[in-house]
Amino acid sequence: MEYNPQEIEAKWQNYWNENGSFEPQNDYKKDKKYILSMFPYPSGRIHMGHVRNYCLGDAFARYFRKADFNVLHPIGWDSFGMPAENAAIKHKLHPKKWTYENIDYMRDELKALGLSFSAKREFATSDELYTRWEQEFIIKMYEEGLLYRKSTTVNWCEPCHTVLANEQVEEGCCWRCDTPVEQKEMPGYYVAITKYAQELLDDLKTLEGEWPSQVLTMQENWIGRSEGLEFTFELSKESRYKLDKQFSSYKVFTTRPDTIYGISYSALAPEHPIVKYLVDNKLLDDDKLDAIKAMQKVSERDRATMPKEGVSLEIDVIHPLTGERVPVWVANFVLSSYGGGAVMAVPAHDIRDFEFAKEYNLPIKQVIEGPDGLFDKLTEAYTGEGKLVNSEGFSGLSNTKAKKSIIYHFEQNSFGTKQINYKLRDWGVSRQRYWGAPIPFVHCDDCGLVPEKTENLPIALPEDVEITGEGNPLDTHPTWKKCKCPKCGKEATRETDTLDTFVQSSWYFLRYATNPQKWTKEGVSKSDSDYWMDVDQYIGGIEHAILHLLYARFFTKVLNDLGYTNSREPFKKLLTQGMVLKDGAKMSKSKGNVVDPDLIVEKYGADTARLFILFAAPPTKELEWNDSAVDGAFRFIKKFAQRSEHITQNGIENFKNIDHSSLNKEEKEARRKVYEALEKSNDVFNKTYAFNTLIAASMEAMNALQVQDNELVWAEGYYILTNILEPIIPHLSWELAEKLFKRENFNDKIEVKDEVFALDSVTLAVTINGKKRCEIEVSPSASKEEILAIAKETSTKWIEGKELIKEIVVPNKLVNLVVKG
Ligand code: ANZ
Ligand code: ZN
């Protein structure tokens, strides 16, 4: 058979398409597998990262389909977002047109790879029908207090003209355009993900062993739980006179209540209300006011890397245990949105407090004594464990005990409570952009903020907009935002913010699980998700370790609480694939080292591209593009096609009745290699994911088949190899299966036959007086006497004429003979 990939691949892609070969069945009594690769953003063309992601997912889907599972393997498009608007500005194309044209193009590119997606479940998140249900969820969340509007300082990216979530700020810069982020006060909508902080943390335990531990750790750190004491600092009488009546005290949070006798000052964030009051009412010198204003302008992220800076506020608070006065400063290292935006500072035992105290000559008082004892002048903060000193009645306690007793003491006297804090913040979902899902609310002069009526959903985007990059086109549109109040019917204004695109990717997997016949009537069907959820295998990039995966986990819990699904954790198993590199660097347009998947498919065929990408590296590792390895993959496939000439009618009809014991050594070896590859296949898909080893085993099997010429062994070998290679090189496998075996599918389980692994002989070393002299081959079932007889016969030249005084047989290893004379 001549190998012509273009012809074979077109033939089978058409066949699959026309027969709807990969639609999941509606038979919910069957065992199921839900295999999902993260859906793509329709940027224009697919890249090698996509190829890797989708070839991995497809291999799983095809494997489990063969193993007779009902498989859901869908694809769709994460199609809202900024690049569409940027393209609109650059090429004067409407974002919608740009997006849907890209989708059509990329759909064909994916099709050319022979991916076994369900065609009926495909959708784009910018489809109005998808928006309709998302808006309903948003309204339900509002009604349940899980979504609210508030005004705060937000991360603002000027080039993108939008607010960014904390998760979208990377080292102080916008995650998309890399511009330094500014701080700006602005109203916006927030999702109360913090209400689920503890559950999001606890449930990570259920994912242990199923998700990469690195991802679990990243989520744990992001949620950032810490336990400590929250207490109130009372302002001194004089300070209270100086400030307004509204200020008599403030709260602080500490994870180290054991150091409380070491307080030497208290510090407030530049955004703290007391600081604001002092600045607004000019209650400090101009120098100080200027210094504070300068601090306020810097983003919190940048402050973290700057030298410690502060200003004394000329007020003081009362130490809760000693009654001493404690001076209050404003400091750039105190975060406004954490633990009340104020701290008790203990320079002797906290690195930041120490640096600050050194800078401003504030006292440093040691209260924990470590193994090295007391220091006269600390040269750095002592943050280790130890015994309390200078701490009144608590002196002498170990600091871990002291933590508990001091918290207890505060609680007993009701001036503080044990407190759990999380770093996780509520998720800001407002974006001031056009190409997104409109947030379905109305502003009414009389009724305030009113959710839209469900029967009016979706609130769709206007099509007649001009995208210039300045301002929000929904806001500047002449009529779109004019509407009637859903509550009182008066003239009102539509909300012009749109939802963060991460909202769409937080529930798309539940949408796929809903039978498309219900899509107009239900957003997420509980009965369908009861069957299909949770996703059995999720595959995607490590870059989504925090953002997308945390939001998706959260949304699943919310939709569960709102009654849409019984799933509580969306993704049972997670595989994070490694990056595709070329010449040691990540493939990217800017580096000019991109290999175009379309060209590879054109030149070699999809099967070669697929085989290469799964063979070149284990899926979690980086994959280095290598032209000669692509050639190698092609040559193997070609050989596999051509050697099929060895398959005969007799072989096909009779291979199921091979009598193993009658085969010669090479024939047995060939069978063993084929069955080893079969075993590997089951291992790889269920446990190891090491596709590269499966391919290596198949190559070995091919080599072993070629050194024998038993037509039954050839036929059986091809029957099995076409089967296990089907998830990797599906086109050629279907072609061979049809041509040789008249098979229309692969849904028959091939049992691994133990007989082929039985060894013909075992090799034993023969040692004489402890020295190895020769080797013997014996049957695995040989008795001790038989083994000794062979051993003696083989070693006559060393034992002849000598007295044999000892004979030892170590099964499967050696025979030891001891002789004298
Ligand atoms: C006194 C103290 C003494 C502290 C000591 C630490 C060591 P985590 O673990 O991250 O939750 N802190 C509290 N609120 C803060 C804020 N808004 N901005 C900056 N720092 C803040 O950190 C909690 C610790 O960070 C708290 O415990 C507090 O400093 C500081 F030897 O209190 B600690
Ligand atoms: Zn109204």
Side-chain angles (χ1 to χ4, degrees), residues 640 643-644 646-661 663 666-678 698 701-702 704-705 708-725 736-737 740-741 743 746 748-757:
F640 188 53
R643 296 292 182 274
S644 67
H646 288 276
I647 315 302
T648 58
Q649 199 49 39
N650 178 42
I652 292 165
E653 279 163 23
N654 295 307
F655 75 81
K656 292 201 170 147
N657 311 314
I658 294 178
D659 172 12
H660 192 71
S661 61
L663 301 179
E666 285 74 30
E667 292 163 351
K668 282 184 177 164
E669 177 71 3
R671 275 197 101 197
R672 174 153 60 239
K673 289 287 179 195
V674 166
Y675 277 92
E676 270 172 15
L678 173 63
S698 304
M702 264 308 283
L705 280 174
Q708 57 84 49
D709 47 28
N710 181 319
E711 43 183 337
L712 302 192
V713 175
W714 269 105
E716 182 190 41
Y718 262 69
Y719 189 78
I720 294 177
L721 287 177
T722 50
N723 204 300
I724 60 184
L725 288 173
L736 292 175
L740 307 175
F741 305 107
R743 308 176 65 178
F746 291 83
D748 58 336
K749 281 187 197 141
I750 306 176
E751 297 299 330
V752 176
K753 293 201 174 72
D754 288 337
E755 59 177 23
V756 308
F757 297 115

Coordinates of all heavy atoms in Angstrom, one line a residue, residues 640 643-644 646-661 663 666-678 698 701-702 704-705 708-725 736-737 740-741 743 746 748-757:
F640 N 4.6 1.7 8.5 CA 3.4 1.0 9.0 C 2.4 0.7 7.9 O 1.8 -0.3 7.8 CB 2.8 1.8 10.2 CG 1.7 1.1 11.0 CD1 1.9 -0.1 11.5 CD2 0.5 1.8 11.2 CE1 0.9 -0.7 12.2 CE2 -0.5 1.2 11.9 CZ -0.3 -0.1 12.4
R643 N 4.1 -1.9 5.2 CA 4.3 -3.3 5.6 C 2.9 -4.0 5.8 O 2.9 -5.2 5.9 CB 5.0 -3.4 7.0 CG 6.4 -2.8 7.0 CD 7.4 -3.7 6.1 NE 8.7 -3.2 6.2 CZ 9.2 -2.3 5.4 NH1 8.5 -1.8 4.4 NH2 10.5 -1.9 5.5
S644 N 1.9 -3.3 5.6 CA 0.6 -4.0 5.7 C 0.4 -5.0 4.6 O -0.5 -5.8 4.5 CB -0.6 -3.0 5.7 OG -0.7 -2.3 4.5
H646 N 2.0 -7.5 4.2 CA 2.2 -8.8 4.8 C 0.9 -9.5 5.2 O 1.0 -10.6 5.6 CB 3.2 -8.7 6.0 CG 4.6 -8.5 5.6 ND1 5.5 -9.5 5.2 CD2 5.3 -7.3 5.5 CE1 6.6 -9.0 4.9 NE2 6.6 -7.6 5.0
I647 N -0.1 -8.7 5.3 CA -1.4 -9.2 5.8 C -2.1 -10.0 4.7 O -2.3 -9.5 3.6 CB -2.3 -8.1 6.4 CG1 -1.5 -7.1 7.2 CG2 -3.5 -8.8 7.1 CD1 -0.8 -7.7 8.4
T648 N -2.4 -11.3 5.0 CA -3.0 -12.1 4.0 C -4.4 -12.5 4.4 O -4.7 -12.4 5.6 CB -2.2 -13.4 3.8 OG1 -2.2 -14.1 5.1 CG2 -0.8 -13.2 3.4
Q649 N -5.2 -13.0 3.5 CA -6.5 -13.4 3.8 C -6.5 -14.5 4.9 O -7.3 -14.5 5.8 CB -7.2 -13.9 2.5 CG -8.7 -13.9 2.6 CD -9.3 -12.6 3.1 OE1 -8.8 -11.5 2.8 NE2 -10.3 -12.7 4.0
N650 N -5.6 -15.5 4.7 CA -5.5 -16.6 5.6 C -5.1 -16.0 7.0 O -5.7 -16.4 8.0 CB -4.4 -17.5 5.2 CG -4.2 -18.7 6.2 OD1 -5.2 -19.2 6.7 ND2 -2.9 -19.0 6.4
G651 N -4.2 -15.1 7.1 CA -3.8 -14.5 8.3 C -5.0 -13.8 9.0 O -5.3 -14.0 10.2
I652 N -5.8 -13.1 8.3 CA -7.0 -12.4 8.8 C -8.0 -13.3 9.4 O -8.5 -13.2 10.4 CB -7.6 -11.5 7.7 CG1 -6.6 -10.3 7.4 CG2 -8.9 -10.9 8.2 CD1 -7.0 -9.6 6.1
E653 N -8.2 -14.4 8.6 CA -9.2 -15.4 9.0 C -8.8 -16.2 10.2 O -9.7 -16.6 11.0 CB -9.6 -16.3 7.8 CG -10.6 -15.6 6.9 CD -10.6 -16.3 5.5 OE1 -10.3 -17.5 5.4 OE2 -11.0 -15.6 4.6
N654 N -7.5 -16.4 10.4 CA -7.1 -17.4 11.4 C -6.3 -16.9 12.5 O -5.9 -17.7 13.4 CB -6.4 -18.5 10.7 CG -7.3 -19.3 9.8 OD1 -8.4 -19.7 10.2 ND2 -6.9 -19.4 8.5
F655 N -6.0 -15.6 12.6 CA -5.1 -15.1 13.7 C -5.7 -15.3 15.1 O -4.9 -15.4 16.0 CB -4.6 -13.7 13.4 CG -5.6 -12.6 13.7 CD1 -5.8 -12.2 15.1 CD2 -6.4 -12.0 12.7 CE1 -6.7 -11.2 15.4 CE2 -7.3 -11.0 13.0 CZ -7.4 -10.6 14.4
K656 N -7.0 -15.4 15.2 CA -7.6 -15.6 16.5 C -7.3 -16.9 17.1 O -7.5 -17.2 18.3 CB -9.0 -15.2 16.5 CG -9.2 -13.7 16.3 CD -10.5 -13.1 16.7 CE -10.4 -11.6 16.6 NZ -11.6 -10.8 16.3
N657 N -6.8 -17.8 16.2 CA -6.5 -19.2 16.7 C -5.1 -19.6 16.8 O -4.7 -20.7 16.5 CB -7.3 -20.2 15.9 CG -8.7 -19.8 15.7 OD1 -9.4 -19.5 16.6 ND2 -9.2 -19.9 14.4
I658 N -4.2 -18.6 17.0 CA -2.8 -18.9 17.0 C -2.5 -19.9 18.1 O -2.9 -19.7 19.3 CB -2.0 -17.6 17.2 CG1 -2.1 -16.7 16.0 CG2 -0.5 -17.9 17.4 CD1 -1.4 -15.4 16.1
D659 N -1.7 -20.9 17.8 CA -1.2 -21.8 18.8 C 0.2 -21.4 19.2 O 1.2 -21.6 18.5 CB -1.2 -23.3 18.3 CG -0.5 -24.2 19.2 OD1 -0.3 -23.8 20.4 OD2 -0.2 -25.4 18.8
H660 N 0.2 -20.7 20.4 CA 1.5 -20.0 20.8 C 2.7 -21.0 20.9 O 3.8 -20.7 20.5 CB 1.3 -19.3 22.1 CG 2.4 -18.3 22.4 ND1 2.6 -17.2 21.7 CD2 3.4 -18.4 23.4 CE1 3.7 -16.5 22.2 NE2 4.2 -17.3 23.2
S661 N 2.4 -22.2 21.4 CA 3.5 -23.1 21.7 C 4.1 -23.6 20.5 O 5.3 -24.1 20.5 CB 3.0 -24.3 22.6 OG 2.0 -25.0 21.9
L663 N 5.0 -21.8 17.9 CA 5.7 -20.7 17.2 C 7.2 -20.9 17.5 O 7.6 -21.4 18.5 CB 5.2 -19.4 17.7 CG 3.7 -19.1 17.5 CD1 3.4 -17.7 18.0 CD2 3.3 -19.2 16.0
E666 N 11.4 -16.2 17.1 CA 11.1 -14.8 16.5 C 9.6 -14.5 16.5 O 9.2 -13.4 16.8 CB 11.7 -14.7 15.1 CG 13.2 -14.6 15.0 CD 13.9 -15.9 15.3 OE1 13.4 -16.9 15.0 OE2 15.1 -15.8 15.8
E667 N 8.9 -15.5 16.2 CA 7.4 -15.4 16.2 C 6.9 -15.1 17.6 O 6.0 -14.2 17.7 CB 6.7 -16.6 15.6 CG 7.0 -16.8 14.1 CD 6.7 -18.2 13.6 OE1 6.4 -19.1 14.5 OE2 6.8 -18.4 12.4
K668 N 7.4 -15.8 18.5 CA 7.0 -15.6 19.9 C 7.4 -14.2 20.4 O 6.6 -13.5 21.0 CB 7.6 -16.6 20.8 CG 6.9 -17.9 20.8 CD 7.5 -18.9 21.8 CE 6.8 -20.2 21.8 NZ 7.5 -21.3 22.4
E669 N 8.6 -13.8 20.0 CA 9.1 -12.5 20.4 C 8.2 -11.4 19.8 O 7.9 -10.4 20.4 CB 10.6 -12.4 19.9 CG 11.2 -11.0 20.1 CD 11.5 -10.7 21.6 OE1 11.3 -11.7 22.4 OE2 12.0 -9.7 21.9
A670 N 7.8 -11.5 18.5 CA 7.0 -10.5 17.8 C 5.6 -10.4 18.6 O 5.2 -9.3 18.8 CB 6.8 -10.9 16.4
R671 N 5.1 -11.5 18.9 CA 3.8 -11.5 19.6 C 3.9 -10.8 21.0 O 3.1 -10.0 21.4 CB 3.3 -12.9 19.9 CG 2.5 -13.5 18.8 CD 1.7 -14.7 19.3 NE 0.3 -14.4 19.5 CZ -0.5 -15.2 20.2 NH1 0.0 -16.3 20.8 NH2 -1.8 -14.9 20.4
R672 N 5.0 -11.2 21.7 CA 5.3 -10.6 23.0 C 5.4 -9.0 22.9 O 4.7 -8.3 23.6 CB 6.5 -11.1 23.6 CG 6.9 -10.4 24.9 CD 7.7 -11.3 25.9 NE 8.9 -11.7 25.3 CZ 9.3 -13.0 25.1 NH1 8.5 -13.9 25.5 NH2 10.5 -13.3 24.6
K673 N 6.1 -8.6 21.9 CA 6.2 -7.1 21.7 C 4.9 -6.4 21.4 O 4.6 -5.3 21.9 CB 7.2 -6.8 20.6 CG 8.7 -7.1 21.0 CD 9.2 -6.1 21.9 CE 10.7 -6.5 22.3 NZ 11.1 -5.7 23.5
V674 N 4.1 -7.1 20.6 CA 2.8 -6.5 20.3 C 1.9 -6.4 21.5 O 1.3 -5.4 21.8 CB 2.1 -7.4 19.2 CG1 0.6 -7.0 19.1 CG2 2.8 -7.3 17.8
Y675 N 1.9 -7.5 22.3 CA 1.1 -7.5 23.5 C 1.7 -6.5 24.6 O 0.9 -6.0 25.4 CB 0.9 -8.9 24.1 CG -0.3 -9.6 23.4 CD1 0.0 -10.4 22.2 CD2 -1.6 -9.4 23.8 CE1 -1.1 -11.0 21.6 CE2 -2.6 -10.0 23.1 CZ -2.4 -10.8 22.0 OH -3.4 -11.4 21.3
E676 N 3.0 -6.4 24.6 CA 3.6 -5.4 25.5 C 3.0 -4.0 25.2 O 2.7 -3.2 26.0 CB 5.1 -5.4 25.4 CG 5.7 -6.4 26.4 CD 7.2 -6.6 26.2 OE1 7.8 -5.8 25.5 OE2 7.7 -7.5 26.8
A677 N 3.0 -3.7 23.9 CA 2.5 -2.4 23.4 C 1.0 -2.2 23.9 O 0.6 -1.2 24.3 CB 2.6 -2.2 21.9
L678 N 0.2 -3.3 23.8 CA -1.2 -3.3 24.2 C -1.3 -3.0 25.7 O -2.1 -2.1 26.1 CB -1.8 -4.6 23.8 CG -3.3 -4.8 24.3 CD1 -4.2 -3.8 23.7 CD2 -3.8 -6.2 24.0
S698 N 5.2 0.6 20.4 CA 4.6 0.2 19.1 C 5.7 0.1 18.0 O 5.6 -0.8 17.1 CB 3.6 1.2 18.6 OG 2.6 1.4 19.6
A701 N 7.4 -3.2 18.5 CA 6.6 -4.3 18.0 C 6.7 -4.4 16.5 O 6.8 -5.5 16.0 CB 5.2 -4.0 18.4
M702 N 6.7 -3.3 15.8 CA 6.9 -3.3 14.3 C 8.2 -3.9 14.0 O 8.2 -4.8 13.1 CB 6.8 -1.9 13.8 CG 5.5 -1.4 13.3 SD 4.7 -2.5 12.1 CE 5.7 -2.1 10.6
A704 N 9.9 -6.1 15.6 CA 9.9 -7.5 15.9 C 9.0 -8.2 14.9 O 9.4 -9.4 14.5 CB 9.4 -7.7 17.3
L705 N 8.0 -7.6 14.4 CA 7.1 -8.3 13.4 C 8.0 -8.5 12.1 O 7.8 -9.6 11.5 CB 5.9 -7.4 13.1 CG 4.7 -7.5 14.0 CD1 3.7 -6.4 13.6 CD2 4.1 -8.9 14.0
Q708 N 10.2 -11.8 11.3 CA 9.6 -13.1 11.3 C 8.6 -13.1 10.1 O 8.3 -12.1 9.5 CB 8.9 -13.5 12.6 CG 7.8 -12.5 13.1 CD 6.5 -12.7 12.4 OE1 6.0 -13.9 12.4 NE2 5.9 -11.7 11.9
D709 N 8.1 -14.3 9.6 CA 7.2 -14.2 8.5 C 6.0 -15.1 8.7 O 5.5 -15.7 7.7 CB 7.8 -14.3 7.2 CG 8.8 -15.5 7.1 OD1 8.6 -16.4 7.9 OD2 9.8 -15.4 6.4
N710 N 5.5 -15.2 9.9 CA 4.3 -16.0 10.1 C 3.1 -15.1 9.8 O 2.9 -14.0 10.4 CB 4.3 -16.4 11.6 CG 3.1 -17.2 12.0 OD1 1.9 -16.9 11.5 ND2 3.3 -18.3 12.7
E711 N 2.3 -15.4 8.9 CA 1.2 -14.5 8.5 C 0.1 -14.3 9.5 O -0.5 -13.3 9.6 CB 0.5 -15.0 7.1 CG 0.3 -16.4 7.0 CD -0.3 -16.9 5.7 OE1 -0.9 -16.0 5.0 OE2 -0.1 -18.0 5.3
L712 N -0.1 -15.3 10.4 CA -1.0 -15.1 11.5 C -0.5 -14.1 12.5 O -1.3 -13.2 13.0 CB -1.3 -16.5 12.3 CG -1.8 -17.7 11.5 CD1 -2.2 -18.8 12.4 CD2 -2.9 -17.3 10.5
V713 N 0.8 -14.2 12.8 CA 1.4 -13.2 13.7 C 1.3 -11.8 13.1 O 1.0 -10.8 13.8 CB 2.8 -13.6 14.1 CG1 3.5 -12.6 15.0 CG2 2.8 -15.0 14.8
W714 N 1.6 -11.7 11.8 CA 1.5 -10.4 11.2 C 0.0 -9.8 11.3 O -0.2 -8.7 11.7 CB 1.8 -10.5 9.7 CG 3.2 -10.3 9.3 CD1 4.1 -11.2 9.0 CD2 3.9 -9.0 9.3 NE1 5.4 -10.6 8.7 CE2 5.2 -9.3 8.9 CE3 3.5 -7.7 9.5 CZ2 6.2 -8.3 8.8 CZ3 4.4 -6.7 9.4 CH2 5.8 -7.0 9.0
A715 N -0.9 -10.7 11.0 CA -2.3 -10.2 11.0 C -2.7 -9.8 12.4 O -3.3 -8.7 12.6 CB -3.2 -11.3 10.5
E716 N -2.4 -10.6 13.4 CA -2.7 -10.3 14.8 C -2.0 -9.0 15.2 O -2.6 -8.1 15.8 CB -2.3 -11.4 15.7 CG -2.7 -11.1 17.2 CD -2.1 -12.1 18.2 OE1 -0.9 -12.4 18.0 OE2 -2.8 -12.5 19.1
G717 N -0.8 -8.9 14.8 CA 0.0 -7.7 15.1 C -0.7 -6.4 14.6 O -0.9 -5.4 15.3
Y718 N -1.1 -6.5 13.4 CA -1.8 -5.3 12.8 C -3.1 -5.1 13.4 O -3.6 -3.9 13.5 CB -1.9 -5.5 11.2 CG -0.7 -4.7 10.6 CD1 0.6 -5.1 10.7 CD2 -1.0 -3.5 9.9 CE1 1.6 -4.4 10.2 CE2 0.1 -2.8 9.4 CZ 1.4 -3.2 9.5 OH 2.4 -2.5 9.0
Y719 N -3.8 -6.1 13.7 CA -5.1 -6.0 14.4 C -5.0 -5.2 15.7 O -5.7 -4.2 16.0 CB -5.8 -7.3 14.6 CG -7.2 -7.2 15.1 CD1 -8.2 -7.0 14.1 CD2 -7.5 -7.4 16.4 CE1 -9.5 -6.9 14.5 CE2 -8.9 -7.2 16.8 CZ -9.9 -7.0 15.9 OH -11.2 -6.9 16.2
I720 N -3.9 -5.5 16.4 CA -3.7 -4.9 17.7 C -3.1 -3.5 17.5 O -3.5 -2.5 18.1 CB -2.9 -5.8 18.6 CG1 -3.7 -7.0 19.0 CG2 -2.5 -5.0 19.9 CD1 -3.0 -8.0 19.8
L721 N -2.1 -3.4 16.7 CA -1.4 -2.1 16.5 C -2.3 -1.0 15.9 O -2.3 0.2 16.4 CB -0.2 -2.2 15.7 CG 1.0 -2.9 16.4 CD1 2.2 -3.1 15.5 CD2 1.4 -2.2 17.7
T722 N -3.1 -1.4 14.9 CA -4.1 -0.3 14.4 C -5.0 0.1 15.5 O -5.4 1.3 15.6 CB -4.9 -0.9 13.2 OG1 -5.5 -2.1 13.6 CG2 -4.1 -1.1 12.0
N723 N -5.3 -0.8 16.4 CA -6.2 -0.5 17.5 C -5.6 0.5 18.5 O -6.1 1.5 18.9 CB -6.6 -1.8 18.2 CG -7.9 -1.6 18.9 OD1 -8.0 -0.8 19.8 ND2 -8.9 -2.4 18.5
I724 N -4.4 0.1 19.0 CA -3.8 1.0 20.0 C -3.2 2.3 19.4 O -3.1 3.3 20.2 CB -2.7 0.3 20.8 CG1 -1.5 -0.2 20.0 CG2 -3.3 -0.9 21.6 CD1 -0.5 -1.0 20.8
L725 N -3.0 2.3 18.1 CA -2.4 3.6 17.6 C -3.6 4.5 17.1 O -3.4 5.6 16.7 CB -1.5 3.3 16.4 CG -0.1 2.7 16.9 CD1 0.7 2.3 15.7 CD2 0.6 3.8 17.7
L736 N -6.6 1.3 7.6 CA -6.1 -0.1 7.6 C -7.1 -1.1 8.2 O -7.3 -2.2 7.7 CB -4.8 -0.2 8.5 CG -3.6 0.4 7.9 CD1 -2.4 0.4 8.8 CD2 -3.2 -0.2 6.5
A737 N -7.8 -0.6 9.2 CA -8.9 -1.4 9.8 C -9.9 -1.7 8.8 O -10.4 -2.9 8.7 CB -9.5 -0.7 11.0
L740 N -8.1 -4.0 5.8 CA -7.6 -5.3 6.2 C -8.7 -6.1 6.9 O -8.9 -7.3 6.6 CB -6.4 -5.2 7.1 CG -5.2 -4.4 6.6 CD1 -4.2 -4.3 7.6 CD2 -4.7 -5.0 5.3
F741 N -9.4 -5.5 7.8 CA -10.2 -6.3 8.7 C -11.7 -6.0 8.5 O -12.6 -6.5 9.3 CB -9.9 -6.0 10.2 CG -8.4 -6.2 10.4 CD1 -7.5 -5.2 10.6 CD2 -7.9 -7.5 10.5 CE1 -6.2 -5.4 10.9 CE2 -6.6 -7.8 10.7 CZ -5.7 -6.7 10.9
R743 N -13.4 -3.5 9.4 CA -14.0 -3.0 10.6 C -14.5 -1.6 10.4 O -13.9 -0.8 9.7 CB -12.9 -2.9 11.7 CG -12.1 -4.2 11.9 CD -11.1 -3.9 12.9 NE -11.7 -3.7 14.2 CZ -11.0 -3.4 15.3 NH1 -9.7 -3.4 15.2 NH2 -11.6 -3.2 16.4
F746 N -13.8 0.5 16.4 CA -12.8 -0.2 17.2 C -13.3 -0.6 18.5 O -12.6 -0.9 19.4 CB -11.6 0.8 17.4 CG -10.9 1.1 16.1 CD1 -11.3 2.1 15.2 CD2 -9.7 0.4 15.8 CE1 -10.6 2.3 14.1 CE2 -9.0 0.6 14.7 CZ -9.4 1.6 13.8
D748 N -14.1 -3.1 20.2 CA -14.0 -4.4 20.8 C -12.8 -4.4 21.7 O -11.7 -3.9 21.3 CB -13.9 -5.5 19.7 CG -12.8 -5.3 18.8 OD1 -12.3 -4.1 18.7 OD2 -12.3 -6.2 18.2
K749 N -13.0 -5.0 22.8 CA -11.9 -5.0 23.8 C -10.9 -6.2 23.4 O -11.4 -7.3 23.2 CB -12.4 -5.2 25.2 CG -13.0 -3.9 25.8 CD -13.3 -4.1 27.2 CE -14.2 -2.9 27.6 NZ -15.3 -3.3 28.5
I750 N -9.7 -5.9 23.3 CA -8.7 -6.9 23.1 C -8.1 -7.3 24.4 O -7.5 -6.5 25.1 CB -7.6 -6.5 22.1 CG1 -8.3 -5.9 20.8 CG2 -6.7 -7.6 21.8 CD1 -7.3 -5.4 19.8
E751 N -8.3 -8.6 24.8 CA -7.7 -9.0 26.1 C -6.2 -9.2 25.9 O -5.8 -9.7 24.9 CB -8.4 -10.3 26.5 CG -9.9 -10.2 26.8 CD -10.2 -9.2 27.9 OE1 -9.4 -9.0 28.8 OE2 -11.3 -8.6 27.8
V752 N -5.5 -8.9 27.0 CA -4.1 -9.2 27.0 C -3.9 -10.7 27.3 O -4.5 -11.2 28.2 CB -3.4 -8.3 28.1 CG1 -1.9 -8.7 28.1 CG2 -3.5 -6.9 27.7
K753 N -3.2 -11.4 26.4 CA -3.0 -12.9 26.6 C -1.8 -13.1 27.4 O -0.7 -12.8 27.0 CB -2.9 -13.6 25.3 CG -4.2 -13.5 24.5 CD -4.2 -14.6 23.4 CE -5.6 -14.7 22.7 NZ -5.8 -13.6 21.8
D754 N -1.9 -13.8 28.6 CA -0.8 -14.0 29.4 C 0.2 -15.0 28.8 O 1.4 -14.9 29.0 CB -1.2 -14.6 30.8 CG -1.9 -13.5 31.6 OD1 -1.6 -12.3 31.4 OD2 -2.7 -13.8 32.5
E755 N -0.3 -15.9 28.0 CA 0.6 -16.9 27.4 C 1.8 -16.3 26.6 O 2.9 -16.9 26.6 CB -0.2 -17.8 26.4 CG -0.8 -17.0 25.3 CD -1.6 -17.9 24.2 OE1 -2.0 -19.0 24.6 OE2 -1.7 -17.4 23.1
V756 N 1.5 -15.1 26.0 CA 2.6 -14.6 25.2 C 3.8 -14.1 26.1 O 4.9 -13.9 25.7 CB 2.2 -13.4 24.3 CG1 1.0 -13.9 23.4 CG2 1.9 -12.2 25.1
F757 N 3.5 -13.8 27.4 CA 4.5 -13.3 28.3 C 5.3 -14.5 29.0 O 6.3 -14.2 29.6 CB 4.0 -12.4 29.3 CG 3.4 -11.2 28.7 CD1 2.0 -10.9 28.8 CD2 4.2 -10.3 28.0 CE1 1.5 -9.7 28.2 CE2 3.7 -9.1 27.4 CZ 2.3 -8.9 27.5

